[in-house]
Amino acid sequence: MEEIVSKRSSINVQIGLNANNLPLEMHWSAEDGGITNAPAKAMMLSLWNAEEKNTMKIDLWTKDLSVEEMKQFFHQTLLTMADTFEKATGEINISEDLRDYCYHFAEKMEIMPEK
């Protein structure tokens, strides 16, 4: 039996650009999540195009995002990707390998949380 769409939901991202089209500010809203016009400094959006078997992506960050913030953003994104991959595929071993790499990344970037 084919499932039917019973609801639609939107996530909205607003990007404020300067005269050179560089992002100065970002805000996002997700009505179903109770988020309205929340500020952000960076985003990575990846969409899978099944017809082309290719990932379409948008990576943006504001001028005032510091290098330290970008390091943390990447680290946390990589950790989330490991969790998502494990949840979606059940591939525990490779997900653990990715988490091990995340530890290495944090160590090399000197962003390890203090104990």
Side-chain angles (χ1 to χ4, degrees):
M1 178 178 204
E2 187 175 328
E3 286 193 68
I4 61 168
V5 174
S6 61
K7 179 181 176 181
R8 298 215 182 260
S9 183
S10 294
I11 298 171
N12 185 290
V13 180
Q14 296 289 319
I15 312 296
L17 306 171
N18 68 11
N20 295 316
N21 289 325
L22 296 173
L24 297 179
E25 63 181 28
M26 292 183 206
H27 291 86
W28 69 287
S29 301
E31 188 176 312
D32 285 356
I35 299 165
T36 304
N37 208 31
K41 286 187 173 184
M43 67 173 269
M44 291 184 203
L45 175 65
S46 297
L47 302 166
W48 179 248
N49 182 322
E51 288 179 14
E52 295 182 17
K53 303 260 188 265
N54 193 16
T55 301
M56 300 175 294
K57 63 184 194 67
I58 300 171
D59 302 326
L60 293 174
W61 57 94
T62 59
K63 284 177 53 172
D64 64 337
L65 180 74
S66 71
V67 171
E68 287 303 310
E69 289 174 311
M70 180 59 92
K71 290 176 183 180
Q72 292 173 357
F73 178 56
F74 254 79
H75 180 249
Q76 292 174 16
T77 300
L78 289 169
L79 281 170
T80 300
M81 290 174 71
D83 295 341
T84 301
F85 189 74
E86 183 177 335
K87 188 187 305 182
T89 65
E91 296 284 348
I92 295 168
N93 291 336
I94 196 69
S95 298
E96 282 302 317
D97 288 348
L98 183 50
R99 289 184 193 97
D100 288 345
Y101 172 74
C102 291
Y103 177 84
H104 172 77
F105 180 94
E107 197 171 53
K108 288 287 188 179
M109 292 291 103
E110 299 179 351
I111 57 171
M112 292 292 292
E114 294 188 26
K115 295 177 182 180

